[in-house]
Amino acid sequence: MLTSTNPTPPSRRAGTARVGLALAGGGPLGAIYEIGALCALQEALPDVDFSDLSGYVGVSAGSFVAAALANGMTPRQLCAAFIENNARSEDLVQPSVFMRPAVGELARRVAALPGLTLQAAYRYAFKGDSLLSALERLGRALPTGVFSHAALEAQVRRLLTVPGRSNDFRRLGHRLVLVATDLDRGSSAPFGLPGWDHVPISQAVAASAALPGLFPPVEIDGRWYVDGALKKTLHATVLLDMGLDLVLCLNPLVPFDASHPARHRVLAGGEEVIPRLIDGGLPVVLSQTFRTLIHSRLELGMKGYDTSHPGTDVLLFEPDHRDPAMFLANTFGYSQRRRLAEHAYQRTRADLRSRRGLLQARLRGHGLALDNAVLDDTERTLLGHRSALRSRMARTLRRLDEVLDDLEQALPA
């Protein structure tokens, strides 16, 4: 789904617009969505080179994608390395890097358990602490993360140290900012900006992606850092403050709208529909809660850009809120990654078609244009195959829906 803010600046010649890219997080699922969507955007916007933009900002999983793009990798190369696993050996990104147990963290916490137990017993017996307060002290023995970030950091370091790339922010030809959160201060850490650019990019990626509970905090220069999404969803302000002309934003995680199952069954070709989220149990409820919280912050930020940065046009791309495929996805299976990347690619193409009129007007002011021949090519795929809709009627209804959405967007404009 496409959202735009700010009026379009005066017309520019093609290729002169300063374009930036802001990528939000979302774990492996977020990276899969962003790679598929970026491949669709690269094809539809031939005058925009996503490996040669004026600036990049990444948060959490988006930091990995942003770091690769800023080092000259194209969206298609990222797809080959992360989705298809058929890139050159030094570029391959194995999904297992996200699931290595945090053995060191667990060992340290277990080693502290006897001492904590004695402290809790002493305070309960002699200091008058309640049993609950004494037991709370034992919570310090719980590990701060299940999976280790060491393998991910090593993988990114290997990816960025091949000839022609750099693991040093200061040696890049593009502005790259990867945002983490200082755990003790609760403040943003914009790795890549002056004063923060001495940190290796691979360490910044690990820190930005250290989601509490899944990954332990990352130590850098004696301080501890966790996921950058704790402060903001996108951190697009970093690029807006650079005075760019156009900022493209990708947000993979949106709350699911289960109130339109009948219409979406046609759009998705019969994919699973969830009539009531409560039927999915605790995991589904928690997922919806987390998505709703981070998306509400994103909406507030997007509304504020109109007044805070009126000279920059901002376009946000994200999944359809009615799309169950991105909400129910299991992102750790190889076959699932291919299917979800293809799905993100095709849904982004459909989104561009359904908002073609409005988007063309926005891009025209920057000397850019959509490639309509590419968008209207029904045989185009990301991975060489796609799930066919169940009937010709379903395909017709889907295309009609895109045209109606385009008219609905164009009429108010």
Side-chain angles (χ1 to χ4, degrees):
M1 182 175 292
L2 164 68
T3 304
S4 60
T5 69
N6 296 339
T8 305
S11 178
R12 298 177 179 272
R13 299 189 312 274
T16 64
R18 294 170 300 162
V19 182
L21 179 66
L23 299 174
L29 172 63
I32 291 168
Y33 168 81
E34 288 173 348
I35 291 171
L38 283 168
C39 287
L41 291 171
Q42 180 71 89
E43 293 177 354
L45 297 169
D47 294 322
V48 177
D49 184 351
F50 281 86
S51 61
D52 188 23
L53 300 180
S54 298
Y56 302 84
V57 61
V59 182
S60 193
S63 66
F64 162 75
V65 179
L69 293 172
N71 265 279
M73 292 187 71
T74 67
R76 281 283 179 172
Q77 287 176 318
L78 270 172
C79 182
F82 188 70
I83 308 299
E84 298 182 271
N85 289 135
N86 66 356
R88 57 185 185 179
S89 59
E90 59 267 30
D91 286 351
L92 290 179
V93 179
Q94 301 295 338
S96 59
V97 301
F98 298 103
M99 301 182 66
R100 302 283 177 85
V103 177
E105 168 71 3
L106 179 60
R108 285 190 296 271
R109 299 291 169 171
V110 170
L113 183 58
L116 292 172
T117 303
L118 289 175
Q119 292 177 25
Y122 173 78
R123 298 190 66 85
Y124 175 69
F126 301 105
K127 294 294 184 179
D129 283 5
S130 67
L131 180 61
L132 181 59
S133 296
L135 291 176
E136 285 179 348
R137 182 171 293 271
L138 297 180
R140 301 180 185 181
L142 294 175
T144 56
V146 178
F147 303 117
S148 172
H149 53 70
L152 172 63
E153 193 276 333
Q155 185 92 59
V156 176
R157 186 181 348 112
R158 180 169 62 88
L159 184 74
L160 300 184
T161 52
V162 300
R165 301 175 191 160
S166 177
N167 198 29
D168 189 333
F169 286 102
R170 297 163 296 188
R171 294 173 178 257
L172 292 179
H174 313 87
R175 169 69 76 190
L176 171 65
V177 180
L178 307 179
V179 186
T181 302
D182 188 310
L183 181 62
D184 293 315
R185 295 172 178 170
S187 58
S188 296
F191 294 110
L193 289 182
W196 299 88
D197 54 1
H198 65 286
V199 176
I201 295 174
S202 56
Q203 281 193 355
V205 170
S208 181
L211 180 63
L214 286 182
F215 295 94
V218 177
E219 183 182 10
I220 298 176
D221 295 338
R223 303 202 64 84
W224 297 91
Y225 297 93
V226 293
D227 198 314
L230 268 64
K231 289 291 292 183
K232 291 182 180 179
T233 302
L234 266 174
H235 290 274
T237 306
V238 173
L239 298 177
L240 297 173
D241 289 342
M242 293 172 58
L244 302 184
D245 304 305
L246 175 66
V247 174
L248 305 175
C249 305
L250 269 68
N251 171 49
L253 298 184
V254 298
F256 179 61
D257 183 0
S259 64
H260 300 283
R263 180 169 181 256
H264 191 82
R265 187 183 294 274
V266 173
L267 291 180
E271 291 170 350
E272 182 176 357
V273 173
I274 313 171
R276 297 184 308 174
L277 294 186
I278 195 171
D279 295 337
L282 181 61
V284 169
V285 172
L286 289 179
S287 176
Q288 180 76 337
T289 301
F290 176 71
R291 289 163 178 260
T292 302
L293 286 173
I294 64 172
H295 198 265
S296 64
R297 295 186 312 176
L298 175 63
E299 290 176 329
L300 288 174
M302 293 290 292
K303 291 177 181 178
Y305 297 153
D306 288 332
T307 54
S308 65
H309 298 83
T312 303
D313 211 11
V314 183
L315 297 177
L316 170 66
F317 297 89
E318 54 187 14
D320 192 325
H321 291 248
R322 303 161 298 177
D323 187 352
M326 298 300 296
F327 184 71
L328 293 173
N330 170 16
T331 62
F332 291 102
Y334 178 74
S335 60
Q336 284 275 54
R337 294 205 314 282
R338 291 177 61 88
R339 185 181 66 83
L340 289 172
E342 184 71 50
H343 183 79
Y345 172 82
Q346 296 295 348
R347 291 307 301 151
T348 300
R349 285 169 48 80
D351 188 35
L352 291 169
R353 289 192 297 267
S354 66
R355 289 157 179 79
R356 191 192 319 243
L358 176 63
L359 189 56
Q360 288 278 36
R362 293 285 186 182
L363 294 172
R364 193 176 302 118
H366 304 290
L368 304 173
L370 289 172
D371 188 330
N372 289 312
V374 167
L375 281 180
D376 292 329
D377 182 1
T378 59
E379 301 301 318
R380 188 175 289 265
T381 65
L382 177 64
L383 302 173
H385 65 86
R386 60 183 296 185
S387 299
L389 292 179
R390 291 176 299 174
S391 66
R392 180 173 297 180
M393 177 62 72
R395 292 194 296 271
T396 302
L397 290 175
R398 185 174 191 174
R399 182 61 182 139
L400 177 61
D401 193 77
E402 293 169 358
V403 173
L404 291 176
D405 277 348
D406 191 19
L407 288 173
E408 184 179 3
Q409 294 285 329
L411 287 176

